Amino acid sequence: MKQIIRKISSNKDLYNSLIKLGIPIIIGQFGAIITGLADTIMVGQHSTAELGAASFVNNVINAFIILGTGFSYNLTPLIGENLARRKYLVIGGWLKNSLVANFTTTLIISVILVGIYLNLDLLNQPEELIPLIRPYYLISTASVIFVMLANTFRQFVEGIANPSVSMWVLLAGNLLNIIGNYILIYGKFGLPEMGLFGAGLSTFLSRIVILGLFVWVFVRRTAYTRYRKGVRVIPINRRSWRTLNAIGWPIGLQQGLEAGTFCMTAIMIGWLGSLELAAHQIAITISLISFTIYLGLGAAVAIRVSYYKGANDWNMVRHISQAGIHLALVVVLVICIMLFTTQSFIGMIFTDDIRVNDIVKTLIPILMLYQLGDSVQIILTNALRGLSDVKAIMWISFIAYFVVAIPSGYALGFTAHWGAPGVWMAYPIGFVCSVTLFTYRMKMQFGKHLR
């Protein structure tokens, strides 16, 4: 016990630095999560069928949004290394070239999403949901470009250790989304009642506003003058584009593989029925609360790791990574206590359908189970991202999620006839596998640089 207390005391400054950097990122993320909660609650109260349709579309679209935003994380290590060397013009140049690279990536993602739309019938979703799915899917696809470009600016402001900017921008945009949901879903102030499509339209408009606010802040803020100069004087060039793609695609694919697991499980849950799909959406929405905290801490770890890598201080890289894991485990304990005490009634917040709530209750214990693996794998992934060790995380994710997790979920859900809980077991199984492999990779990095 004394050794643990001594360890915590010696890492106090590291904990404080990660918390100080991570809290604005987490708050900004919470804005998006609160919007997702509002979406799910408002749509669920409007119609259980619309909740099921939203579950399918959100899981498919979000898988590709996560892939795309993962691609835009290519800025984090580049900004961190150049910030440590005080190369501000270079950072501005990377921002400019990243916007171009992210735009071209969005075009590829949009083509794939349109291809999925044209083949929706092949995914065997409940027939009664298809008329609800189609319009919501299209407007959600149209908003992806604004998410990608906004996230480029977000990576910039967070990478230069100015995360409060993204926090306020995201909170403003997501507040607008919630207000728009209320007006458009239920048809207030003389507007027609649009239901699920109204939720999609509100999200589309709020994402345009978020991008506009990021651009406005970048153009107007005096502290960004030296970065704006870099945007002006450094041209768009093929070499930078190749570098951004070399870093971005492995990160994006890693994020996409993890998100793809959630997408595939949503499709499999859809095979079980619309009630199971609605319950899946509720449980996933609840899980996003803890995921947001881990993601914020992970982003802070990536920013600090990339900085100390640029300064060639590998002892600090190791200590920052360890401190991030410690903080994440504290969050796991708190989240699991909250889930345990609310598991019998938490589903009723989203819907008054008792059948759906009964299914949610079977998923909450599994949600608690996978918290440990999810938290640690996010910290380790972001530490490796800060080191630009991106190819490794891509292959590890492929093995953990597509080779191990998805087949396991199918086998337990359908072959073993466990239903929705069996499909959900894909998550803890995949996370345990990824944590094991990511830990081994981090030890290899430390062994090489601290020898």
Side-chain angles (χ1 to χ4, degrees):
M1 179 61 71
K2 289 183 179 179
Q3 288 182 337
I4 295 174
I5 295 173
R6 194 180 303 116
K7 182 73 172 178
I8 293 173
S9 179
S10 65
N11 285 339
K12 185 178 179 181
D13 290 339
L14 297 181
Y15 298 141
N16 288 337
S17 69
L18 289 176
I19 292 171
K20 184 177 179 181
L21 186 57
I23 282 179
I25 300 174
I26 292 169
I27 292 173
Q29 292 276 9
F30 260 126
I33 297 308
I34 291 170
T35 302
L37 284 169
D39 272 355
T40 303
I41 292 172
M42 291 181 187
V43 171
Q45 294 298 330
H46 193 260
S47 160
T48 299
E50 287 179 321
L51 181 60
S55 174
F56 171 80
V57 174
N58 289 339
N59 277 280
V60 173
I61 299 290
N62 287 343
F64 286 93
I65 287 179
I66 290 170
L67 184 153
T69 53
F71 179 88
S72 69
Y73 288 161
N74 51 24
L75 261 185
T76 302
L78 296 170
I79 288 177
E81 291 176 24
N82 284 286
L83 192 65
R85 299 163 187 164
R86 303 182 186 278
K87 295 183 177 181
Y88 305 115
L89 292 181
V90 174
I91 292 174
W94 281 121
L95 172 61
K96 181 179 182 179
N97 280 274
S98 181
L99 284 167
V100 175
N102 290 344
F103 179 77
T104 57
T105 300
T106 305
L107 294 180
I108 297 171
I109 289 173
S110 298
V111 169
I112 297 172
L113 287 173
V114 170
I116 293 173
Y117 175 82
L118 295 174
N119 293 279
L120 279 176
D121 294 337
L122 300 179
L123 298 179
N124 296 323
Q125 296 304 294
E127 283 294 327
E128 68 272 18
L129 300 185
I130 297 299
L132 298 170
I133 286 173
R134 288 191 179 279
Y136 183 59
Y137 186 102
L138 285 176
I139 197 165
S140 298
T141 298
S143 70
V144 172
I145 180 65
F146 304 106
V147 178
M148 285 286 290
L149 296 180
N151 201 61
T152 308
F153 285 102
R154 180 181 175 182
Q155 295 311 308
F156 162 74
V157 297
E158 292 178 0
I160 61 172
N162 198 188
S164 60
V165 170
S166 65
M167 177 187 75
W168 289 113
V169 167
L170 292 172
L171 287 177
N174 289 314
L175 176 61
L176 176 65
N177 193 8
I178 292 173
I179 295 171
N181 278 342
Y182 175 73
I183 295 171
L184 298 174
I185 291 174
Y186 300 111
K188 304 297 181 180
F189 303 107
L191 293 173
E193 183 177 335
M194 300 183 189
L196 180 59
F197 182 77
L201 179 58
S202 177
T203 300
F204 176 80
L205 295 173
S206 69
R207 285 171 173 172
I208 294 175
V209 170
I210 288 172
L211 174 59
L213 288 173
F214 270 123
V215 172
W216 184 83
V217 170
F218 181 74
V219 171
R220 300 291 297 177
R221 191 160 184 161
T222 305
Y224 296 164
T225 301
R226 55 193 178 186
Y227 303 112
R228 289 197 297 270
K229 184 177 180 181
V231 170
R232 289 195 303 270
V233 302
I234 296 179
I236 297 169
N237 60 87
R238 187 175 297 177
R239 181 179 179 183
S240 296
W241 188 84
R242 283 200 300 263
T243 300
L244 287 162
N245 276 271
I247 298 174
W249 274 113
I251 300 174
L253 289 172
Q254 180 271 324
Q255 298 264 103
L257 287 167
E258 182 178 345
T261 305
F262 287 86
C263 177
M264 290 299 297
T265 52
I267 291 171
M268 288 191 284
I269 292 288
W271 298 340
L272 296 170
S274 57
L275 293 178
E276 286 83 359
L277 201 53
H280 172 81
Q281 176 63 17
I282 291 171
I284 285 293
T285 302
I286 295 168
S287 76
L288 289 176
I289 297 173
S290 57
F291 174 76
T292 295
I293 301 173
Y294 307 144
L295 202 60
L297 288 174
V301 168
I303 292 165
R304 302 311 294 162
V305 163
S306 65
Y307 181 88
Y308 286 112
K309 181 197 173 190
N312 200 33
D313 188 343
W314 281 87
N315 274 312
M316 283 300 295
V317 168
R318 180 174 62 181
H319 293 318
I320 285 288
S321 303
Q322 291 172 343
I325 292 173
H326 298 162
L327 290 172
L329 292 178
V330 172
V331 176
V332 169
L333 179 61
V334 174
I335 292 293
C336 285
I337 291 173
M338 293 173 61
L339 289 173
F340 180 77
T341 56
T342 61
Q343 60 183 314
S344 63
F345 61 85
I346 194 168
M348 299 302 292
I349 297 173
F350 300 87
T351 179
D352 56 5
D353 193 318
I354 296 176
R355 297 169 300 170
V356 173
N357 185 59
D358 287 341
I359 301 171
V360 171
K361 286 191 289 187
T362 67
L363 302 181
I364 294 299
I366 303 171
L367 176 57
M368 294 169 58
L369 180 63
Y370 85 57
Q371 293 299 304
L372 182 63
D374 193 21
S375 62
V376 176
Q377 69 93 16
I378 288 174
I379 299 300
L380 292 174
T381 300
N382 278 276
L384 289 166
R385 177 164 65 87
L387 297 175
S388 298
D389 188 8
V390 292
K391 289 184 180 179
I393 62 177
M394 177 185 68
W395 288 112
I396 288 172
S397 296
F398 175 75
I399 294 169
Y401 304 128
F402 270 63
V403 175
V404 176
I406 293 175
S408 298
Y410 180 85
L412 293 173
F414 296 94
T415 305
H417 305 292
W418 288 11
V423 175
W424 260 62
M425 282 301 297
Y427 303 143
I429 291 171
F431 289 142
V432 167
C433 181
S434 66
V435 166
T436 302
L437 295 174
F438 283 136
T439 300
Y440 177 75
R441 185 65 184 181
M442 284 297 294
K443 287 183 177 180
M444 286 180 61
Q445 286 283 1
F446 294 142
K448 181 168 64 176
H449 294 283
L450 292 174
R451 187 173 298 162

